[in-house]
Each structure stands twice: as C-alpha cells, then as structure tokens.
Amino acid sequence: MHRILILLLLTTTTSILINVSSGLPFILGNGKAVINWTQPKDDWKIETAPRSIVPHLDTRNKNQTIAKEESEEDNRILERLQQLKRNSSTGRMLWYDMSLSAQDASHFPPFVDKALRLFSLDQVAYEIKNSVMSKVSCQACKAGAGLLKSFIQSGKSDQEIVKTIYNFCVHLQIESPRVCEGVSREFGLEVIFVLKRVNLGPDEICSFVIGDACGDVYNPYHEWEVSFPPVPKPAPVEPPLPKEGAPFFKVLHISDTHYDPHYMEGSNADCNEPLCCRLSSGRPTNPNSAAGKWGDYRKCDSPKRLIDNMLSHISDTHNDIDYIIWTGDLPPHDIWNQTKEINLQIIKDTVKQMSEKFPGVPIFPALGNHESSPVNSFPPPYVQQVDSSISWLYDELDNQWKRWLPASVSQTIRRGAFYSVLVRPGFRIISLNMNYCNNKNWWLLLNSTDPATELQWLIYELQSAEFSNEKVHIIGHIPPGHSDCLKVWSRNFYRIIARYENTITGQFYGHTHYDEFEVFYDPHDLGRAINIGYIGPSVSPYYDLNPGYRIYYVDGDHDLSTRMVVDHESWIMNLKEANLYDYPIWYKLYTTRPAYNMKGLRPLDWDNFINDITNNQELFDLYYKNYWKNSPVRPPCDAECKKRIICDSKSGRSHDRKHFCQDVESKIDERESKSWKAWFYRGFTASWNAISSITYLPKYVMGLG
C-alpha cells in the first residue's frame, strides 16, 4: 500500500475529474491560458452493440447437500507498519535543501508549507490501507495537489517537474530511490498532461478524491446523472427463502491472484519497498526475515507454486464446478517497474493456466486495476493516440477471453472491457470495468461523466433483461462502495441497483483482499435492504493474509428459481503451516449459513446479520476471524476497527457513511461506554474492598456504621 502513499503525496491531484467538452481554454491561477483542449466526439450507439441471446452454459442439474463444517482459529498480533522516518524540515526548508532559491520557494502556497509540517506519513499509509480517510489524508492530498499545481503554474518543464517529484519522494524517504525513480517515470508525464488540462484547486480536487473526510465541496464539473428509460419500476418482490433440495449451480470465485514471476524463496521478505520476496529485495537480515517457500505474510505476492497448488486442489476437490467468475488483478504489486509487455505476458500465462486446469468450464473474467501499465491507467475510448490509447490491453483481453465468451461480446470488450452474456435461459452475467469508477484512474480527471458510456449501456442491458424476465449477476473488481470508487459514479450505480432490484440478484467483486460483503439499501428507505455485493478473498497473501477462494451455490434451473446465492463457502490455506511443514493444506474455513446461523442469504438476511454482529461481540469476533481468512497475524480489533468493518458492510455507496453508519456507530459507542463504566465501577469496588480488608478500618470510620 506504500505505492498508494506515493501517489497520494506526489500526484494526488490525479484522481479528480472534470467534464470538459466546450473547447474553451483553461485558465490557471495566474490568469494565463495554458491549453485549449476539447474532448473528441464519441459516436458509439449502445443499441447497435450485439447482444448475447443464446444460453452459454450447458448445465448439469444436480441435487447436492452442502456440508456443514466448523472452523478453527489461530491468534497472534499483527506487526505494525514500520513507522516512516519523519522529516524534521518544513516544506520550505526541504525545497531550499534541494537547491531551490528562496524566491522560488516563496511561490509555494502557504497551505502546502503548513501541510508538509503537519501530516503524518505513517498515518496516511494506515488510512489508505484500511480504506478510512481522515483530515490527515485530506491534508496530505491538498499538499500534493497544491505543490503540483504551483509547479505547473510556474512554467516548469515536464522533465523538471518529474525530477522534482523524484527528489521530493527520496528526500521525504517515502520510498527507496529506485522505487521513487520508477514511480516518477511511470506516472509523472501522464499526471502532468492531465493536470495541465483541468482547472480545479486543492479543495475541489481532494474532496472529489477522498470524499466526505475532506469536505463536501460542490464541484459542478463532476455532477452528472444517468438517464433511465420511461418505464415504471415494477413493485419490489421480496425473494423467498431458498427451496430445499432444488438444483443449483456450483460457482468458483477467484480474485486478486497477483502472480509474481520473480518471487524467490529465502529472499528478504521485510524490505523497505512496496513489494518484497524477490532477488532485488536483498538478503534477509535474519532467518525470520526470509521469504517462505509457499508465500509470505509480509508485502509479498503469490509465487507460481502457490497458484499451481491451489488450482490443482480446486480441480481435484471441486470437479463439479459449473462456471468460474474471475475478478481480476493478475500482475504483482511492483508497479514502479512494470511495462505493457510484462503485464500482457502475465495475462496470457494466467489465462493459459486457467484453461488447462479447467478445460470445458466457462470462465467469466472481469478486469482489475493492476492489469494496465501504468497501474490504474484506463483512458476512455475517445483517447486514441498510439502512446496513450488503452486498446493495447482491451484488444488482447478480447483475444484471450474469447475462448470462454461468445463472439457477441467482442465489441464492448474492445471498447471498454465490459460485456453481457446469457448464461442460461432467464439468467445473465454482466461484467463491468470498475476502473471507470477508480479515483486513481488519472484519465478520468478530464471527464468523469459515465466513461465509455458504461453505466448507460448497463441500464440498457438491465432494461432488456427486465423485459425478458431475466435475472442478472454483476461481476467486477472494485466494489462500488469502496473508497477507491468515485462518489459520483458510485451514486449513479446505486440508483441503477435500486431501479432494477428485482432483476439483479447478486453482485461479485474483489480488490480488498478480505473476505467480506456490501449490502445495498433502498435510497428512499435506508431501512430496507435490496441487494447484496459479495467481495471474494484474494489468492495473494499480500499482506498479512492467508490465500483463499470462494465457492457459491446459486439457485439453479427450476420453475421458481431466484438465481440468488443459496450459500457460500470460503476455503483457505494456512500459510504459516505450509511454510513450516512444507505441506500446503487447503481447507474449508466456514460455510456461511451454518456458521452465522442465517436462514438464507437474501439482502434482508444480511441486514439482520449486520445488526447481529453489531450487538453480539462473539459473533463479530467470528466474522472478524473469517474476514482476515483466519490469519495468525491479524491485528486486534478495537471499537473503531469494529465500526469501520461493519460500516463497510453497510456502505454500497462510497464516501457517504453519514447516511449508513450512524446507527451502527452509536450502538458500538453506547456498548463501549457501558463496558467502560462497568469496568470502572468493578475496579473501584474491588480497590475499595481491598483497602478495607487490608486496613481493617471500623465501619464507623468508613462512614458505614
């Protein structure tokens, strides 16, 4: 997650969006027009895209019994992030040390100088890692935004700005010099290109990127709404509990493999870079710092043997899988030295691996944010310059995915890496490119209005599905309620889910690496749960996690099928034991309904479960263990941690916790308050009794006679 810290501190302005199509020149703070940029016209018509209308899956209706198993638990405290070395200089002193004249330094906005003195880098890193933003992250964002704006305004060349970013990164010891150099080279020019074409200040930029933790600053350039067809919404239908003995589909969910071809057993797993366990990480300083054979809990991705072993285990253990959903993030976290060619090779290798392990099994992939190079860089279709267009990735995805998908989806994959497939009569899967909601996708800075027309296309597909009485599952990478998803995009998506609540019966995402979920509510009645987003665990142990995958049981082909998830299981490998005994064992961590005593997995049931884990500490502890995939290095969870995790499960709409979490937070605060009062009373009483018994004071002396 340190890579995100670099981007936040150095290029945080790259996550704002602006709707620019007028062709008017942009004016910077000095009143000078910098550039005249017009967004190219996009003539794509949704209704002309071919549709998948032939069922894609040859099903084998089966009646299986879902086994109930108990889970095990290990405990040990997570190593805290190593505190980054604080730089004692102020921002102005820092740049003076870097041979900037006093006159140049005085051009920096005052808030930049103040922010550099005040924000805590390790706190920012922690907040980003845990998807919680506060004024600390907001301050860091504004410092970076103001700094880059001032450089552009001063007329510095692109190369000078990139070099300054590098010097800033090294001097603050944000990362190692080679990581700083790679990040500056990979992202610098693209960031500068975009920032020269937007006219927003740090307040607007950081409110847009970070959300409510940085103030709700009104930004007319990034306010847009999707359009719905003039078709009345059908009356909501409460789905019934699953019918016992009905046929179902057995579905495998794999996410965030992050295959590292350079993983090396015995290398340094405790390095000072965003990714370790490689030859370039150096030698370990002690035996405990050496990378394990099967992976490592520290900042290390998946070795090939780990992925091979997992896929072999799945193939042997679950040989009755009907189809697979594969929700992205294939390359590793070494984002400072990746290339298009390297990432494409990893995509080809992993696609080949999946095809060989699961011959004849349909696989429905979704695109992660790590597949591009630079990471998070996904230009909309109107960006067609050879050196900037994303066609290098989307065209190859179409070539690779066509072995599993019908030919009808080729047009939308090559346009935006999204598609729709009819799986069975009355059942459709829609794969979204969630990078168009990614607030680190710098190209969206130019225009946030429904990039690639994806959401409008989604509405068209859902309306067609509603007319055809089809149920739909949506798959993607970034969960729409996650802080990485733009609030305006997430708000529009939330409206779409609400409009088609009778049609959409499940959502499936990855990205967080944890084992979790998001509940969606009626925007007009936040007490009524209407949909559920399942967030599958990562294969990669990055970091402090056991590798894992999920199995879903989806209501299958029968007259009353809801196409909802009937139950699901999470399977993990204990990485500590695998490295200790050189014998990896995959086992079922839990089965949801028996583990949590749930009648079903309807939105209503998940909403009740949220209430249960809010009020029942023992049940929350069980959920927390499963959330961390039973990691032996998971940290303890205090009241703030509990509020964050439960709020995540209630927040299907990003950057809007005030609407979803007040009741949860108040209940937890009240519970904590009562526990502290009880603790204080018990402690005071015990102390008083001890004093009385030791001193043998008469009752009248103590005022009790």
Side-chain angles (χ1 to χ4, degrees), residues 214-259:
C214 211
D216 190 13
V217 179
Y218 177 68
N219 188 342
Y221 294 106
H222 300 291
E223 289 295 329
W224 51 273
E225 292 186 350
V226 292
S227 300
F228 293 95
V231 180
K233 176 183 175 180
V237 177
E238 185 66 35
L241 286 169
K243 184 178 179 181
E244 296 297 331
F248 56 80
F249 300 136
K250 186 174 182 179
V251 182
L252 168 65
H253 184 184
I254 294 178
S255 193
D256 297 87
T257 48
H258 290 291
Y259 160 53

Tab-separated table of all heavy atoms in Angstrom, residues 214-259:
chain	number	residue	atom	x	y	z
A	214	CYS	N	-12.868	14.894	3.462
A	214	CYS	CA	-12.186	16.110	3.033
A	214	CYS	C	-13.199	17.197	2.683
A	214	CYS	O	-12.923	18.092	1.886
A	214	CYS	CB	-11.289	15.809	1.824
A	214	CYS	SG	-9.821	16.845	1.718
A	215	GLY	N	-14.385	17.102	3.249
A	215	GLY	CA	-15.400	18.109	2.998
A	215	GLY	C	-16.183	17.810	1.732
A	215	GLY	O	-15.684	17.211	0.791
A	216	ASP	N	-17.408	18.226	1.726
A	216	ASP	CA	-18.278	18.004	0.569
A	216	ASP	C	-18.298	19.279	-0.265
A	216	ASP	O	-19.260	20.035	-0.279
A	216	ASP	CB	-19.682	17.624	1.041
A	216	ASP	CG	-20.559	17.159	-0.109
A	216	ASP	OD1	-20.020	16.898	-1.200
A	216	ASP	OD2	-21.785	17.068	0.087
A	217	VAL	N	-17.204	19.520	-0.963
A	217	VAL	CA	-17.067	20.732	-1.764
A	217	VAL	C	-17.823	20.563	-3.076
A	217	VAL	O	-17.588	19.601	-3.809
A	217	VAL	CB	-15.579	21.035	-2.046
A	217	VAL	CG1	-15.438	22.284	-2.895
A	217	VAL	CG2	-14.813	21.186	-0.735
A	218	TYR	N	-18.716	21.466	-3.352
A	218	TYR	CA	-19.507	21.369	-4.576
A	218	TYR	C	-18.616	21.565	-5.795
A	218	TYR	O	-17.787	22.471	-5.842
A	218	TYR	CB	-20.615	22.422	-4.585
A	218	TYR	CG	-21.423	22.415	-5.876
A	218	TYR	CD1	-22.249	21.339	-6.182
A	218	TYR	CD2	-21.341	23.474	-6.771
A	218	TYR	CE1	-22.988	21.326	-7.360
A	218	TYR	CE2	-22.074	23.473	-7.952
A	218	TYR	CZ	-22.891	22.392	-8.241
A	218	TYR	OH	-23.611	22.378	-9.407
A	219	ASN	N	-18.781	20.700	-6.768
A	219	ASN	CA	-17.944	20.727	-7.960
A	219	ASN	C	-18.832	20.507	-9.186
A	219	ASN	O	-19.141	19.366	-9.546
A	219	ASN	CB	-16.871	19.634	-7.875
A	219	ASN	CG	-15.850	19.736	-8.987
A	219	ASN	OD1	-16.085	20.385	-10.000
A	219	ASN	ND2	-14.725	19.087	-8.802
A	220	PRO	N	-19.290	21.576	-9.823
A	220	PRO	CA	-20.241	21.433	-10.929
A	220	PRO	C	-19.684	20.668	-12.120
A	220	PRO	O	-20.443	20.136	-12.926
A	220	PRO	CB	-20.555	22.887	-11.303
A	220	PRO	CG	-19.377	23.680	-10.828
A	220	PRO	CD	-18.911	22.983	-9.587
A	221	TYR	N	-18.349	20.593	-12.238
A	221	TYR	CA	-17.765	19.866	-13.363
A	221	TYR	C	-17.936	18.352	-13.212
A	221	TYR	O	-17.776	17.610	-14.172
A	221	TYR	CB	-16.274	20.188	-13.485
A	221	TYR	CG	-15.993	21.618	-13.847
A	221	TYR	CD1	-15.508	22.508	-12.894
A	221	TYR	CD2	-16.223	22.086	-15.137
A	221	TYR	CE1	-15.249	23.829	-13.223
A	221	TYR	CE2	-15.963	23.405	-15.469
A	221	TYR	CZ	-15.482	24.271	-14.507
A	221	TYR	OH	-15.231	25.579	-14.838
A	222	HIS	N	-18.237	17.912	-11.992
A	222	HIS	CA	-18.321	16.480	-11.746
A	222	HIS	C	-19.652	16.112	-11.099
A	222	HIS	O	-19.705	15.318	-10.170
A	222	HIS	CB	-17.149	16.031	-10.892
A	222	HIS	CG	-15.832	16.304	-11.540
A	222	HIS	ND1	-15.412	15.640	-12.659
A	222	HIS	CD2	-14.861	17.199	-11.249
A	222	HIS	CE1	-14.232	16.107	-13.031
A	222	HIS	NE2	-13.880	17.055	-12.194
A	223	GLU	N	-20.690	16.698	-11.593
A	223	GLU	CA	-22.041	16.348	-11.184
A	223	GLU	C	-22.789	15.884	-12.425
A	223	GLU	O	-23.029	16.664	-13.341
A	223	GLU	CB	-22.744	17.543	-10.535
A	223	GLU	CG	-22.212	17.915	-9.166
A	223	GLU	CD	-22.447	16.819	-8.142
A	223	GLU	OE1	-23.458	16.090	-8.264
A	223	GLU	OE2	-21.616	16.677	-7.228
A	224	TRP	N	-23.125	14.616	-12.482
A	224	TRP	CA	-23.838	14.073	-13.636
A	224	TRP	C	-24.731	12.923	-13.186
A	224	TRP	O	-24.524	12.336	-12.124
A	224	TRP	CB	-22.859	13.580	-14.713
A	224	TRP	CG	-21.784	12.658	-14.239
A	224	TRP	CD1	-20.568	13.002	-13.731
A	224	TRP	CD2	-21.830	11.220	-14.206
A	224	TRP	NE1	-19.850	11.883	-13.400
A	224	TRP	CE2	-20.597	10.768	-13.687
A	224	TRP	CE3	-22.781	10.269	-14.590
A	224	TRP	CZ2	-20.305	9.414	-13.523
A	224	TRP	CZ3	-22.489	8.924	-14.431
A	224	TRP	CH2	-21.268	8.510	-13.912
A	225	GLU	N	-25.730	12.645	-14.000
A	225	GLU	CA	-26.668	11.574	-13.680
A	225	GLU	C	-26.972	10.764	-14.923
A	225	GLU	O	-27.079	11.308	-16.028
A	225	GLU	CB	-27.973	12.135	-13.103
A	225	GLU	CG	-27.819	12.773	-11.729
A	225	GLU	CD	-29.157	13.180	-11.132
A	225	GLU	OE1	-30.172	13.134	-11.875
A	225	GLU	OE2	-29.187	13.523	-9.942
A	226	VAL	N	-27.100	9.466	-14.728
A	226	VAL	CA	-27.501	8.600	-15.827
A	226	VAL	C	-28.986	8.794	-16.109
A	226	VAL	O	-29.729	9.312	-15.271
A	226	VAL	CB	-27.215	7.124	-15.502
A	226	VAL	CG1	-25.725	6.856	-15.452
A	226	VAL	CG2	-27.882	6.736	-14.189
A	227	SER	N	-29.407	8.375	-17.292
A	227	SER	CA	-30.805	8.500	-17.690
A	227	SER	C	-31.461	7.124	-17.718
A	227	SER	O	-30.872	6.163	-18.228
A	227	SER	CB	-30.909	9.135	-19.083
A	227	SER	OG	-30.332	10.418	-19.096
A	228	PHE	N	-32.650	7.060	-17.172
A	228	PHE	CA	-33.411	5.817	-17.182
A	228	PHE	C	-34.509	5.882	-18.238
A	228	PHE	O	-35.052	6.956	-18.505
A	228	PHE	CB	-34.035	5.553	-15.813
A	228	PHE	CG	-33.034	5.256	-14.739
A	228	PHE	CD1	-32.570	6.256	-13.898
A	228	PHE	CD2	-32.541	3.970	-14.562
A	228	PHE	CE1	-31.645	5.994	-12.910
A	228	PHE	CE2	-31.611	3.690	-13.583
A	228	PHE	CZ	-31.162	4.703	-12.752
A	229	PRO	N	-34.846	4.746	-18.836
A	229	PRO	CA	-35.944	4.738	-19.812
A	229	PRO	C	-37.270	5.029	-19.126
A	229	PRO	O	-37.417	4.770	-17.923
A	229	PRO	CB	-35.894	3.320	-20.381
A	229	PRO	CG	-35.219	2.510	-19.323
A	229	PRO	CD	-34.247	3.425	-18.658
A	230	PRO	N	-38.241	5.555	-19.863
A	230	PRO	CA	-39.544	5.899	-19.265
A	230	PRO	C	-40.394	4.656	-19.024
A	230	PRO	O	-41.518	4.532	-19.532
A	230	PRO	CB	-40.155	6.825	-20.311
A	230	PRO	CG	-39.579	6.354	-21.608
A	230	PRO	CD	-38.169	5.910	-21.291
A	231	VAL	N	-39.857	3.742	-18.253
A	231	VAL	CA	-40.564	2.505	-17.916
A	231	VAL	C	-40.746	2.462	-16.405
A	231	VAL	O	-39.754	2.535	-15.668
A	231	VAL	CB	-39.779	1.267	-18.388
A	231	VAL	CG1	-40.524	-0.017	-18.024
A	231	VAL	CG2	-39.508	1.334	-19.883
A	232	PRO	N	-41.964	2.366	-15.912
A	232	PRO	CA	-42.170	2.352	-14.458
A	232	PRO	C	-41.450	1.177	-13.800
A	232	PRO	O	-41.383	0.077	-14.352
A	232	PRO	CB	-43.692	2.204	-14.316
A	232	PRO	CG	-44.253	2.647	-15.626
A	232	PRO	CD	-43.239	2.283	-16.657
A	233	LYS	N	-40.915	1.428	-12.618
A	233	LYS	CA	-40.270	0.363	-11.864
A	233	LYS	C	-41.315	-0.610	-11.344
A	233	LYS	O	-42.295	-0.198	-10.709
A	233	LYS	CB	-39.479	0.951	-10.699
A	233	LYS	CG	-38.842	-0.086	-9.784
A	233	LYS	CD	-38.127	0.564	-8.608
A	233	LYS	CE	-37.598	-0.485	-7.631
A	233	LYS	NZ	-36.891	0.126	-6.485
A	234	PRO	N	-41.131	-1.902	-11.600
A	234	PRO	CA	-42.084	-2.878	-11.048
A	234	PRO	C	-42.070	-2.850	-9.527
A	234	PRO	O	-41.072	-2.473	-8.905
A	234	PRO	CB	-41.552	-4.219	-11.587
A	234	PRO	CG	-40.673	-3.867	-12.740
A	234	PRO	CD	-40.086	-2.530	-12.419
A	235	ALA	N	-43.173	-3.263	-8.942
A	235	ALA	CA	-43.249	-3.318	-7.484
A	235	ALA	C	-42.197	-4.278	-6.954
A	235	ALA	O	-42.004	-5.372	-7.503
A	235	ALA	CB	-44.638	-3.776	-7.052
A	236	PRO	N	-41.461	-3.881	-5.912
A	236	PRO	CA	-40.436	-4.767	-5.357
A	236	PRO	C	-41.025	-6.094	-4.889
A	236	PRO	O	-42.112	-6.135	-4.295
A	236	PRO	CB	-39.875	-3.973	-4.177
A	236	PRO	CG	-40.201	-2.543	-4.492
A	236	PRO	CD	-41.501	-2.573	-5.221
A	237	VAL	N	-40.312	-7.165	-5.161
A	237	VAL	CA	-40.730	-8.502	-4.759
A	237	VAL	C	-39.708	-9.051	-3.772
A	237	VAL	O	-38.523	-9.167	-4.105
A	237	VAL	CB	-40.844	-9.446	-5.977
A	237	VAL	CG1	-41.210	-10.855	-5.521
A	237	VAL	CG2	-41.864	-8.917	-6.975
A	238	GLU	N	-40.140	-9.348	-2.580
A	238	GLU	CA	-39.243	-9.897	-1.575
A	238	GLU	C	-38.908	-11.339	-1.945
A	238	GLU	O	-39.801	-12.181	-2.046
A	238	GLU	CB	-39.885	-9.850	-0.188
A	238	GLU	CG	-38.983	-10.293	0.946
A	238	GLU	CD	-37.809	-9.354	1.142
A	238	GLU	OE1	-37.987	-8.132	0.941
A	238	GLU	OE2	-36.723	-9.839	1.495
A	239	PRO	N	-37.652	-11.656	-2.184
A	239	PRO	CA	-37.305	-13.025	-2.586
A	239	PRO	C	-37.588	-14.012	-1.459
A	239	PRO	O	-37.388	-13.701	-0.278
A	239	PRO	CB	-35.805	-12.941	-2.897
A	239	PRO	CG	-35.319	-11.757	-2.130
A	239	PRO	CD	-36.453	-10.790	-2.092
A	240	PRO	N	-38.054	-15.218	-1.807
A	240	PRO	CA	-38.338	-16.222	-0.781
A	240	PRO	C	-37.053	-16.876	-0.288
A	240	PRO	O	-35.982	-16.733	-0.884
A	240	PRO	CB	-39.212	-17.234	-1.529
A	240	PRO	CG	-38.735	-17.144	-2.956
A	240	PRO	CD	-38.371	-15.694	-3.164
A	241	LEU	N	-37.151	-17.582	0.805
A	241	LEU	CA	-36.030	-18.376	1.276
A	241	LEU	C	-35.728	-19.482	0.272
A	241	LEU	O	-36.617	-19.904	-0.481
A	241	LEU	CB	-36.352	-18.984	2.641
A	241	LEU	CG	-36.330	-18.023	3.833
A	241	LEU	CD1	-36.931	-18.678	5.063
A	241	LEU	CD2	-34.892	-17.567	4.122
A	242	PRO	N	-34.486	-19.960	0.210
A	242	PRO	CA	-34.152	-20.999	-0.769
A	242	PRO	C	-34.971	-22.262	-0.554
A	242	PRO	O	-35.246	-22.661	0.577
A	242	PRO	CB	-32.660	-21.238	-0.512
A	242	PRO	CG	-32.399	-20.722	0.858
A	242	PRO	CD	-33.336	-19.582	1.040
A	243	LYS	N	-35.343	-22.856	-1.660
A	243	LYS	CA	-36.125	-24.081	-1.623
A	243	LYS	C	-35.193	-25.265	-1.414
A	243	LYS	O	-34.264	-25.488	-2.187
A	243	LYS	CB	-36.902	-24.239	-2.930
A	243	LYS	CG	-37.837	-25.426	-2.973
A	243	LYS	CD	-38.590	-25.478	-4.288
A	243	LYS	CE	-39.507	-26.686	-4.336
A	243	LYS	NZ	-40.238	-26.760	-5.637
A	244	GLU	N	-35.419	-25.999	-0.356
A	244	GLU	CA	-34.548	-27.130	-0.042
A	244	GLU	C	-34.645	-28.192	-1.127
A	244	GLU	O	-35.731	-28.509	-1.607
A	244	GLU	CB	-34.926	-27.729	1.316
A	244	GLU	CG	-34.732	-26.788	2.497
A	244	GLU	CD	-33.274	-26.388	2.690
A	244	GLU	OE1	-32.388	-27.184	2.331
A	244	GLU	OE2	-33.032	-25.274	3.194
A	245	GLY	N	-33.484	-28.712	-1.513
A	245	GLY	CA	-33.459	-29.782	-2.497
A	245	GLY	C	-33.533	-29.327	-3.938
A	245	GLY	O	-33.495	-30.158	-4.850
A	246	ALA	N	-33.629	-28.003	-4.169
A	246	ALA	CA	-33.697	-27.501	-5.541
A	246	ALA	C	-32.314	-27.582	-6.185
A	246	ALA	O	-31.293	-27.497	-5.505
A	246	ALA	CB	-34.214	-26.066	-5.554
A	247	PRO	N	-32.256	-27.731	-7.520
A	247	PRO	CA	-30.950	-27.768	-8.192
A	247	PRO	C	-30.229	-26.428	-8.070
A	247	PRO	O	-30.858	-25.380	-7.932
A	247	PRO	CB	-31.308	-28.086	-9.644
A	247	PRO	CG	-32.717	-27.646	-9.802
A	247	PRO	CD	-33.372	-27.871	-8.471
A	248	PHE	N	-28.935	-26.474	-8.122
A	248	PHE	CA	-28.146	-25.250	-8.008
A	248	PHE	C	-26.915	-25.350	-8.890
A	248	PHE	O	-26.512	-26.423	-9.339
A	248	PHE	CB	-27.744	-24.979	-6.557
A	248	PHE	CG	-26.990	-26.098	-5.911
A	248	PHE	CD1	-25.631	-26.286	-6.140
A	248	PHE	CD2	-27.633	-26.989	-5.066
A	248	PHE	CE1	-24.934	-27.319	-5.549
A	248	PHE	CE2	-26.936	-28.034	-4.471
A	248	PHE	CZ	-25.590	-28.202	-4.712
A	249	PHE	N	-26.292	-24.187	-9.152
A	249	PHE	CA	-25.004	-24.119	-9.826
A	249	PHE	C	-23.919	-24.003	-8.759
A	249	PHE	O	-24.064	-23.259	-7.788
A	249	PHE	CB	-24.913	-22.904	-10.756
A	249	PHE	CG	-25.948	-22.889	-11.839
A	249	PHE	CD1	-26.625	-21.717	-12.150
A	249	PHE	CD2	-26.244	-24.032	-12.551
A	249	PHE	CE1	-27.573	-21.687	-13.141
A	249	PHE	CE2	-27.193	-24.019	-13.557
A	249	PHE	CZ	-27.860	-22.843	-13.858
A	250	LYS	N	-22.837	-24.724	-8.979
A	250	LYS	CA	-21.680	-24.589	-8.102
A	250	LYS	C	-20.679	-23.688	-8.804
A	250	LYS	O	-20.212	-23.997	-9.900
A	250	LYS	CB	-21.057	-25.949	-7.806
A	250	LYS	CG	-19.933	-25.900	-6.771
A	250	LYS	CD	-19.449	-27.308	-6.411
A	250	LYS	CE	-18.357	-27.258	-5.352
A	250	LYS	NZ	-17.891	-28.627	-4.980
A	251	VAL	N	-20.355	-22.552	-8.177
A	251	VAL	CA	-19.594	-21.487	-8.826
A	251	VAL	C	-18.323	-21.203	-8.044
A	251	VAL	O	-18.359	-21.010	-6.823
A	251	VAL	CB	-20.442	-20.200	-8.944
A	251	VAL	CG1	-19.661	-19.106	-9.664
A	251	VAL	CG2	-21.762	-20.487	-9.662
A	252	LEU	N	-17.207	-21.172	-8.747
A	252	LEU	CA	-15.919	-20.822	-8.148
A	252	LEU	C	-15.639	-19.339	-8.360
A	252	LEU	O	-15.828	-18.820	-9.457
A	252	LEU	CB	-14.803	-21.653	-8.791
A	252	LEU	CG	-13.350	-21.236	-8.495
A	252	LEU	CD1	-13.019	-21.425	-7.019
A	252	LEU	CD2	-12.373	-22.027	-9.375
A	253	HIS	N	-15.199	-18.666	-7.304
A	253	HIS	CA	-14.814	-17.247	-7.384
A	253	HIS	C	-13.341	-17.122	-7.006
A	253	HIS	O	-12.948	-17.407	-5.868
A	253	HIS	CB	-15.680	-16.406	-6.450
A	253	HIS	CG	-15.418	-14.929	-6.543
A	253	HIS	ND1	-16.041	-14.006	-5.724
A	253	HIS	CD2	-14.619	-14.198	-7.371
A	253	HIS	CE1	-15.625	-12.783	-6.033
A	253	HIS	NE2	-14.753	-12.883	-7.020
A	254	ILE	N	-12.525	-16.702	-7.972
A	254	ILE	CA	-11.099	-16.446	-7.762
A	254	ILE	C	-10.834	-14.965	-8.002
A	254	ILE	O	-11.334	-14.388	-8.968
A	254	ILE	CB	-10.231	-17.292	-8.716
A	254	ILE	CG1	-10.376	-18.777	-8.394
A	254	ILE	CG2	-8.763	-16.893	-8.617
A	254	ILE	CD1	-9.595	-19.675	-9.321
A	255	SER	N	-10.039	-14.362	-7.135
A	255	SER	CA	-9.763	-12.933	-7.283
A	255	SER	C	-8.362	-12.612	-6.776
A	255	SER	O	-7.829	-13.288	-5.889
A	255	SER	CB	-10.793	-12.104	-6.511
A	255	SER	OG	-10.729	-10.737	-6.875
A	256	ASP	N	-7.786	-11.572	-7.357
A	256	ASP	CA	-6.526	-10.985	-6.863
A	256	ASP	C	-5.435	-12.035	-6.677
A	256	ASP	O	-4.884	-12.207	-5.589
A	256	ASP	CB	-6.782	-10.231	-5.549
A	256	ASP	CG	-7.734	-9.065	-5.723
A	256	ASP	OD1	-8.967	-9.278	-5.627
A	256	ASP	OD2	-7.263	-7.955	-5.978
A	257	THR	N	-5.094	-12.711	-7.771
A	257	THR	CA	-4.016	-13.699	-7.700
A	257	THR	C	-2.658	-13.023	-7.553
A	257	THR	O	-1.779	-13.542	-6.871
A	257	THR	CB	-4.015	-14.588	-8.955
A	257	THR	OG1	-4.103	-13.765	-10.117
A	257	THR	CG2	-5.174	-15.554	-8.939
A	258	HIS	N	-2.456	-11.886	-8.215
A	258	HIS	CA	-1.193	-11.134	-8.104
A	258	HIS	C	0.020	-12.077	-8.222
A	258	HIS	O	0.871	-12.137	-7.322
A	258	HIS	CB	-1.136	-10.359	-6.792
A	258	HIS	CG	-2.091	-9.204	-6.716
A	258	HIS	ND1	-1.938	-8.064	-7.479
A	258	HIS	CD2	-3.213	-9.007	-5.963
A	258	HIS	CE1	-2.928	-7.220	-7.203
A	258	HIS	NE2	-3.717	-7.770	-6.298
A	259	TYR	N	0.072	-12.761	-9.326
A	259	TYR	CA	1.172	-13.698	-9.574
A	259	TYR	C	2.482	-12.927	-9.748
A	259	TYR	O	2.585	-12.028	-10.568
A	259	TYR	CB	0.853	-14.524	-10.816
A	259	TYR	CG	2.048	-15.186	-11.466
A	259	TYR	CD1	2.913	-15.997	-10.727
A	259	TYR	CD2	2.302	-15.011	-12.825
A	259	TYR	CE1	4.009	-16.599	-11.324
A	259	TYR	CE2	3.389	-15.622	-13.436
A	259	TYR	CZ	4.245	-16.411	-12.678
A	259	TYR	OH	5.323	-17.008	-13.267
